[in-house]
Structures are given as structure tokens and as C-alpha cells.
Amino acid sequence: MSKVPMDVVTDIFHRLPVKTLLRFRSLSKPYFSLIDDPDFTNAHLDRSIKTRSNLNIILKGLHLYSVEFDALDNAVPIDYPLSSGAGTEAFGSCNGILAFRLTDKNLALYNPSTRQFRRLPVSEIEPPPFDSCKSGYIFYGFGQDVKTNDYKVVRMVQFNKSDDEDDEGIFYDYEVKVYSLKNDSWRKITKLPCYLRFMFQFFYHLLHRRGYGVLAGGVLHWVMPPRIELGPRNRIVGFDLGNEEFIEVPQPECADKNYLLDVAALEGRLCAVCNYDQEKIDVWTMKEYGVKQSWTKLISIQRTRTITTLTFLKPLAYSKQLDMILVEINSQKFAWYDLQKKKMRSVKIGGSPGTFGAEVYIGSLIQIEDPKRLEIEKQNEQDELKNRNRKNRDDFLSKGFKLVL
């Protein structure tokens, strides 16, 4: 391989799985430098996205499991720091990085491929001043600001009156904070829309993990169901990770106005999932982000003998040939939906929990550790590689000398 031109090596390496590349880092110093180079890391990620390779599905139950998308056979427990205790939630995925909630204040980022784990600095929750109230439901989201190539975590905290006081009819402004991986710090967002204080609805947001933001077009999305205070319609609330402002996203024109709305993402595009009394579900995709007229109906599913209820449906990913879509149904099963035949075929995955939330993540080499510490570790690895090569050379010379004698 030492005689192979480096541009040829680079092209070959772009096509290899992440696990193989991580092993190849120890082959030589040039390979080590190439694989750790940010340009190579980003190019490898781009190719994986375009070719739909290195895809995995994370299953979120009491514990976290991973399933290889190409096989869809067995669920394997995800081993990560502090994984011994149940209760860790993965509230987002972007470019191979998972965002974890260990407790309300203990958040972390984790790359399952490289096994890099990074705790976020603690940011205290600050209730509104001059009022006796406590934190309530907390919304989370995670994604990338493409313009600055920064990864951000969003935390939105709802507040209630203290236990001994009546809080009926009282709505406080949320506390919204954004964490920047580049700056390793939190920033409070003060410009909030008036409707945000009405966002939380108990049964809607607790079911099916609806409090976790859906990333599409560089924007995190949540659904605000109809409220008396705001009128009889759903809202898609967006938070732009670039300018760090809230927006309201237009919805598709559904024939029946009485439906339960969910949002999802399919290959980076926003999807609207319209559930009509658990009898029928339509899935729409927004082909051009922010343009109402670009909403296109993608899937329409009705109850069958095998699927007796349709409480929840989430599109996950296209097949390699783009002729089918993998969907999660009722947080209990998977199925392939054939876009041509308009039919579904069940998928059974061994070792999966009884109920779960599913999310797609892509294997990547994206680094999330502190750059200074990473540089020290890289230097240590290179020194270790030099020492190992020196030792191998000395052993070889020593053995060769003995043979000559």
C-alpha cells in the first residue's frame, strides 16, 4: 500500500465502513492523519448520506439498542458511558452524533462509531423572578447549524405554580437556552413568540416522545396541538439553528381538518403525519423547505386486519432502491411500505424491546471531544505508534543478527 498514490487511497477509504477506517488508523502515520482530517471526515459523511450507507436505527426503550439498517435483523444494546443504569433518553441524532439526556441537567453527546462521549456543561434552570413556581415539562432538540458547522442543543423549560398554589389559567414564558459545541457554552434566548407559553399539552407530548425536536432544513420542529387560547388548529413550531429564532412552518392542506398532527424527517425533509381518528394516516413531505405549495402526499395508510389500530406512525428511511419506506407503527413494530403497490410488509427485529421509539442515525467519524484534549490524545497515539514501530524494528534486527551468527 505504500506504493499506492494517496489520492487513490483516499478514494478507497471514502467507500469503507467507519469501523474499518477506525482500525486502519493504526496502520501508519499517513493513514492516521488522513482519517482524522476534517475534510476527509466530512467527505466520508457526505458519501454515506448520498449512498444511504452506514445507516443504523436506534431503538429507545428502557435501554438503547442499535440495528444495522441493511440487515434489519437483530437489536444490539448500545454500550456507552453510564449505560449501566436505565432511563437515558436519546433526544436527537445528527451526522452520527446522538444527544443524550441522563437527567434534566445532565446532558451529553455521543458518537457510537468512534465512542467519543462528551458531557455538556451544566446550565441551571432559572424560574421566572418574583413568582413562586417550579420547572415542569422540558422540550429538547439537537441538530447542526450548517452555516457555521456547529452542533447545537436546544432546551425549552415550561414552568408551573408551586404545588400548594392553584396554577389554572396561568401561563409563564418558557426558558429557552441553546448550547453550542464550538463555544462549549449555553446562551439564553430572550426573543420568544407569545404562543410558546401555551405549547405543552400533557397527554400529547408525553406519548411517543413528542417533546423531542425533529430536525429538517436546519430547523428543529415541534407540534403545538389546538388550544382554546389560540384557536382550533395545529401549529408546527420551528427553531432555526442558524439565526436562533422561532418560526411558524406552513402545513399541508388536508381534506379533513379534524386530525392529530405529528412531524417527522425523511432524508432531511420535513414530514407532516396526519392521523384521522386512528382509522387512517397520511404522510406529507415538504419538497422545498418553507414553501407551503411544495407539500406532497407520500403515504396513505388505513387500518387492516394485521394493524387493528393506528395510534402512531413515523417514516424512518427509504430503501436503497427508493421504492419502499421503512415506517415505525404504534411504537411497537416496523414495516416496509411499498410506494408502487401501496402495501405494507412487516419487519421483525430480534431482541427489540416491547415498546420503543425509533430514530435513524448514520455512522460517522465526526469528532465531538474537546480539540485541545483531542490533540494531546492524538499526539500520544502517534508517539505510541512510533514506539511500537521502533520496537518491531529492533526485534527484527535482533532476530536477524542472531540468525547471521
Side-chain angles (χ1 to χ4, degrees):
M1 288 290 287
S2 61
K3 296 181 180 180
V4 179
M6 208 59 190
D7 58 339
V8 176
V9 172
T10 302
D11 184 62
I12 294 172
F13 280 16
H14 280 157
R15 305 166 190 272
L16 296 179
V18 174
K19 290 181 180 179
T20 303
L21 290 172
L22 291 172
R23 291 199 303 268
F24 280 11
R25 290 168 81 245
S26 62
L27 288 179
S28 70
K29 187 175 179 179
Y31 290 176
F32 184 98
S33 300
L34 170 65
I35 294 170
D36 274 16
D37 183 83
D39 290 337
F40 175 85
T41 296
N42 292 327
H44 184 270
L45 174 63
D46 289 343
R47 189 181 188 281
S48 295
I49 293 172
K50 290 176 182 176
T51 59
R52 300 177 184 83
S53 53
N54 294 305
L55 287 181
N56 303 271
I57 296 174
I58 182 173
L59 304 183
K60 302 176 282 189
L62 284 177
H63 300 278
L64 301 176
Y65 301 84
S66 178
V67 182
E68 288 189 13
F69 182 76
D70 289 341
L72 290 180
D73 49 4
N74 293 307
V76 179
I78 295 179
D79 182 26
Y80 58 93
L82 306 179
S83 62
S84 56
T88 298
E89 280 280 351
F91 61 82
S93 166
C94 180
N95 293 344
I97 304 171
L98 302 179
F100 284 169
R101 172 198 168 276
L102 306 168
T103 66
D104 288 342
K105 295 181 181 179
N106 192 0
L107 308 178
L109 301 178
Y110 181 60
N111 185 326
S113 301
T114 63
R115 297 183 58 81
Q116 288 185 1
F117 183 86
R118 179 164 179 166
R119 286 181 183 273
L120 275 57
V122 174
S123 179
E124 296 293 339
I125 296 172
E126 304 167 15
F130 315 115
D131 232 328
S132 176
C133 60
K134 61 180 181 178
S135 61
Y137 188 79
I138 302 178
F139 294 82
Y140 294 99
F142 172 65
Q144 182 191 26
D145 175 5
V146 180
K147 294 178 182 177
T148 61
N149 192 28
D150 192 10
Y151 292 89
K152 297 180 178 181
V153 172
V154 177
R155 186 184 73 185
M156 301 192 298
V157 184
Q158 176 224 18
F159 294 104
N160 301 316
K161 276 283 189 180
S162 298
D163 295 333
D164 57 344
E165 298 185 43
D166 182 19
D167 65 347
E168 186 175 354
I170 300 176
F171 298 92
Y172 296 97
D173 280 333
Y174 282 32
E175 180 197 68
V176 180
K177 289 186 177 181
V178 178
Y179 168 81
S180 161
L181 180 62
K182 271 191 172 181
N183 300 327
D184 193 30
S185 62
W186 291 86
R187 189 174 85 87
K188 188 172 182 178
I189 305 300
T190 55
K191 186 180 177 182
L192 306 178
C194 296
Y195 59 75
L196 193 65
R197 64 177 63 183
F198 304 108
M199 186 158 162
F200 175 66
Q201 288 201 26
F202 186 84
F203 289 108
Y204 177 85
H205 285 110
L206 287 184
L207 288 172
H208 307 296
R209 297 169 172 84
R210 289 186 173 109
Y212 298 158
V214 171
L215 178 67
V219 179
L220 288 167
H221 303 83
W222 296 266
V223 169
M224 180 187 293
R227 294 200 66 119
I228 296 175
E229 297 85 356
L230 299 173
R233 71 181 183 93
N234 296 283
R235 289 174 186 256
I236 301 178
V237 178
F239 183 81
D240 191 312
L241 292 171
N243 57 32
E244 297 187 351
E245 292 182 353
F246 285 93
I247 60 173
E248 190 172 346
V249 182
Q251 301 173 44
E253 288 292 342
C254 301
D256 186 346
K257 302 298 181 183
N258 185 24
Y259 59 88
L260 184 69
L261 180 66
D262 279 300
V263 286
L266 193 61
E267 293 206 338
R269 287 180 174 174
L270 182 65
C271 293
V273 183
C274 304
N275 191 322
Y276 305 97
D277 296 322
Q278 301 183 14
E279 294 281 343
K280 174 187 172 185
I281 290 179
D282 290 338
V283 178
W284 298 70
T285 182
M286 184 179 260
K287 291 190 173 182
E288 186 177 349
Y289 187 81
V291 179
K292 183 180 178 66
Q293 293 75 16
S294 72
W295 281 111
T296 304
K297 189 184 292 187
L298 188 64
I299 295 176
S300 188
I301 297 173
Q302 293 185 327
R303 286 199 313 171
T304 64
R305 286 180 297 176
T306 55
I307 303 175
T308 55
T309 59
L310 280 173
T311 58
F312 181 77
L313 184 140
K314 180 179 180 180
L316 294 170
Y318 284 99
S319 63
K320 291 273 190 183
Q321 293 75 30
L322 298 176
D323 58 342
M324 295 188 294
I325 296 175
L326 185 70
V327 296
E328 170 199 344
I329 302 173
N330 300 337
S331 299
Q332 294 178 329
K333 61 178 68 176
F334 292 104
W336 282 111
Y337 179 85
D338 192 306
L339 293 168
Q340 296 295 325
K341 298 178 180 178
K342 314 291 185 187
K343 293 182 179 180
M344 288 197 296
R345 172 171 56 86
S346 296
V347 177
K348 292 186 178 180
I349 297 176
S352 59
T355 59
F356 52 81
E359 189 163 350
V360 173
Y361 77 93
I362 191 165
S364 81
L365 297 162
I366 299 295
Q367 297 181 355
I368 57 174
E369 290 187 344
D370 180 62
K372 293 181 180 178
R373 189 178 69 177
L374 204 63
E375 191 63 36
I376 294 173
E377 290 182 357
K378 184 184 291 187
Q379 187 60 50
N380 291 338
E381 286 187 40
Q382 290 176 346
D383 292 343
E384 184 181 342
L385 181 61
K386 285 180 183 178
N387 293 333
R388 188 162 62 246
N389 289 340
R390 188 182 297 115
K391 184 177 182 300
N392 291 339
R393 184 191 63 194
D394 292 344
D395 290 345
F396 175 78
L397 291 175
S398 174
K399 290 177 182 178
F401 181 72
K402 288 179 181 179
L403 287 172
V404 170
L405 292 177

